[in-house]
Amino acid sequence: MDKKQRCKTGIEELDKELNGGIPSGSTVVVAGSSGVGKTTLCMQFLVNGVKMGEKGVFFSATENVNMLKKFQGTYDFFDEKLIQSNQVSLIDLWSISDRLGLNPENYSYDEANILFEVIRDITKELGAKRLVIDSITSLCFRLKTREMIRDFIFKLGSSLTVLNCTTILTSEVPPMVFQFSQNDIEEFIADGIIFLGDIARKGDLLRTFQVVKMRGTAHSRTKFVLNMSSERGIELVPMLKKTL
Ligand SMILES: Nc1ncnc2c1ncn2[C@@H]1O[C@H](COP(=O)(O)OP(=O)(O)OP(=O)(O)O)[C@@H](O)[C@H]1O
Ligand SMILES: [Mg+2]
């Protein structure tokens, strides 16, 4: 697979690790416990995409759009103009459910289908090449059976592959466990898994980053330290180079 078929994340060490980026059109689960940097990583992925001429859609099922803008606005990489110009479109579960007349607490099979079609159609109409769903855990919580969850993720992944849109699904897991989802479904349907973890060290709680699976890519499973700063957002530092 050459570099043109890769979706460059703009996060330097990750792109190196993935031989240029995520295979375009893949669905990748980014799993981790609360506060490990899932939302920030996803927003940075979309903003970096705009710099490479690719539009993005951020579908939030954990925070409403105003809170998302407020929190992400503390990073230098975040530029409100990208939102105003629809280079990055922010949508939240509550406003879209309201517009579609759906109950955001519990979706029937037909309602879940409507939601899937709307996400797909928005992505298609905008010509977006990057989609984030943050979090798939929160969205799946509203789908009552395992079949509905499997069906939703499978349909979403396959229809976005056809659009050559690279999708990140964030997944919430408990702290200090090596686990990729709460349903044990998402990670098997996804083409890739990135795990964000924590390590307690000298009174600090370091964030870690690891590619666990990426179909179509020879990659290591090296653990990186994930640093977050207002100035640079997320940066990865190979663990062995860091003095612990
Ligand atoms: N401007 C900033 N600069 C550096 N670090 C920040 C900044 N703003 C927030 N943080 C750190 O990022 C953390 C939140 O990151 P983020 O929201 O990406 O995590 P998350 O994995 O999405 O969490 P959740 O599961 O709760 O949604 C905060 O707890 C804080 O430690
Ligand atoms: Mg988050």
Side-chain angles (χ1 to χ4, degrees):
M1 198 180 294
D2 70 29
K3 296 223 157 141
K4 280 191 213 128
Q5 293 167 294
R6 300 262 165 191
C7 175
K8 197 173 166 198
T9 66
I11 295 169
E12 200 183 324
E13 293 289 345
L14 177 58
D15 290 329
K16 263 197 250 168
E17 188 65 36
L18 297 179
N19 197 16
I22 298 167
S24 298
S26 298
T27 300
V28 175
V29 164
V30 171
S33 64
S34 186
V36 283
K38 301 181 295 295
T39 300
T40 309
L41 176 75
C42 290
M43 190 61 83
Q44 209 168 331
F45 166 72
L46 295 186
V47 170
N48 288 344
V50 174
K51 291 183 199 147
M52 296 167 222
E54 295 185 358
K55 284 188 178 174
V57 175
F58 194 112
F59 183 90
S60 176
T62 54
E63 320 165 74
N64 71 38
V65 162
N66 289 332
M67 295 307 277
L68 184 64
K69 281 198 279 191
K70 186 172 156 195
F71 292 145
Q72 292 298 310
T74 60
Y75 295 102
D76 289 357
F77 70 76
F78 187 79
D79 183 355
E80 183 107 24
K81 284 195 211 99
L82 301 183
I83 315 294
Q84 285 152 5
S85 60
N86 276 340
Q87 300 292 103
V88 175
S89 301
L90 306 186
I91 306 164
D92 69 50
L93 182 92
W94 301 273
S95 55
I96 201 114
S97 297
D98 190 40
R99 250 179 278 160
L100 296 170
L102 309 177
N103 171 9
E105 299 314 316
N106 186 355
Y107 296 126
S108 66
Y109 183 84
D110 288 343
E111 287 175 325
N113 217 20
I114 292 171
L115 188 66
F116 149 70
E117 284 174 2
V118 165
I119 296 174
R120 181 198 57 198
D121 293 349
I122 289 174
T123 309
K124 190 173 177 181
E125 273 161 35
L126 288 168
K129 291 293 166 220
R130 298 177 186 221
L131 168 69
V132 167
I133 298 196
D134 182 31
S135 67
I136 194 68
T137 314
S138 177
L139 205 158
C140 288
F141 182 70
R142 294 156 165 86
L143 308 176
K144 290 301 161 211
T145 66
R146 291 178 67 77
E147 288 66 35
M148 280 173 73
I149 294 172
R150 183 177 286 280
D151 186 59
F152 186 88
I153 300 173
F154 183 76
K155 275 196 302 207
L156 191 72
S158 43
S159 62
L160 290 158
T161 300
V162 173
L163 300 175
N164 202 29
C165 177
T166 306
T167 302
I168 296 185
L169 309 175
T170 67
S171 173
E172 296 162 17
V173 295
M176 300 299 187
V177 293
F178 193 55
Q179 182 182 330
F180 309 129
S181 73
Q182 295 189 21
N183 303 300
D184 297 330
I185 295 174
E186 293 88 324
E187 61 267 48
F188 295 104
I189 300 178
D191 304 299
I193 304 170
I194 290 172
F195 181 76
L196 309 186
D198 294 306
I199 300 181
R201 192 74 190 159
K202 292 181 183 165
D204 197 355
L205 196 56
L206 295 177
R207 296 183 174 93
T208 65
F209 177 106
Q210 202 169 14
V211 179
V212 176
K213 156 171 116 169
M214 196 61 67
R215 289 178 182 148
T217 309
H219 63 86
S220 78
R221 294 170 127 195
T222 305
K223 210 176 248 185
F224 291 84
V225 172
L226 185 156
N227 287 328
M228 294 169 87
S229 67
S230 299
E231 296 74 28
R232 305 169 71 87
I234 281 177
E235 282 178 308
L236 305 180
V237 182
M239 192 84 140
L240 292 175
K241 285 191 191 153
K242 178 115 179 165
T243 315
L244 293 176

